[in-house]
Amino acid sequence: QVQLVESGGGLVQAGGSLRLSCAASGRTFSDYAMGWFRQAPGEEREFLAVISWKGEDIYYTDDVKGRCTVSRDNAKSMLYLQLNNLKPEDTAVYYCAADGNYCSGYGCYAQGMAYWGQGTQVTVSS
């Protein structure tokens, strides 16, 4: 299995940017499609984006399309999420996740992914 640790969260003003990182260890990183999710207080977990094993295909949900960029560095076993033009409604705990299967579409990961990090808090002030 793979272990995931997120970092890079924090407090940012509306309109600002953050870059979240996810460090993977354990099994070969490139064996996994990688995703980003978030969960706001009192809300259900929300799927944001997924990147394929080698990074050649990326799917973004409409909520973040145009405001975020997902990338991965397989040599470093790292996943990244660049968030731009942040809004107060982006406040949430952000999670990276891994799955052996890649699927491009909003409903693909409705049940989540196989492996999860512990999350990193992003707070956007107005």
Side-chain angles (χ1 to χ4, degrees):
Q1 61 182 33
V2 62
Q3 291 78 43
L4 304 171
V5 179
E6 302 93 336
S7 61
L11 175 65
V12 62
Q13 289 188 331
S17 299
L18 275 178
R19 189 194 195 203
L20 306 183
S21 299
C22 174
S25 61
R27 288 189 59 181
T28 303
F29 183 61
S30 57
D31 285 347
Y32 298 96
M34 298 298 297
W36 286 99
F37 295 73
R38 69 185 178 188
Q39 188 166 19
E43 302 289 334
E44 293 189 353
R45 183 180 60 205
E46 179 185 10
F47 169 51
L48 300 179
V50 59
I51 184 169
S52 60
W53 305 275
K54 295 183 180 179
E56 70 275 20
D57 193 23
I58 305 172
Y59 172 81
Y60 298 97
T61 62
D62 289 344
D63 280 349
V64 295
K65 189 181 296 183
R67 294 196 299 124
C68 85
T69 302
V70 175
S71 60
R72 67 188 295 165
D73 184 337
N74 285 349
K76 297 181 179 179
S77 298
M78 294 292 296
L79 173 73
Y80 305 100
L81 176 66
Q82 175 71 37
L83 298 166
N84 299 318
N85 190 24
L86 284 161
K87 307 172 183 180
E89 52 264 41
D90 293 318
T91 295
V93 177
Y94 284 71
Y95 298 90
C96 69
D99 200 284
N101 298 311
Y102 174 73
C103 175
S104 177
Y106 182 77
C108 287
Y109 298 104
Q111 303 302 316
M113 287 184 157
Y115 303 101
W116 296 87
Q118 84 290 346
T120 185
Q121 176 71 46
V122 171
T123 303
V124 184
S125 63
S126 58

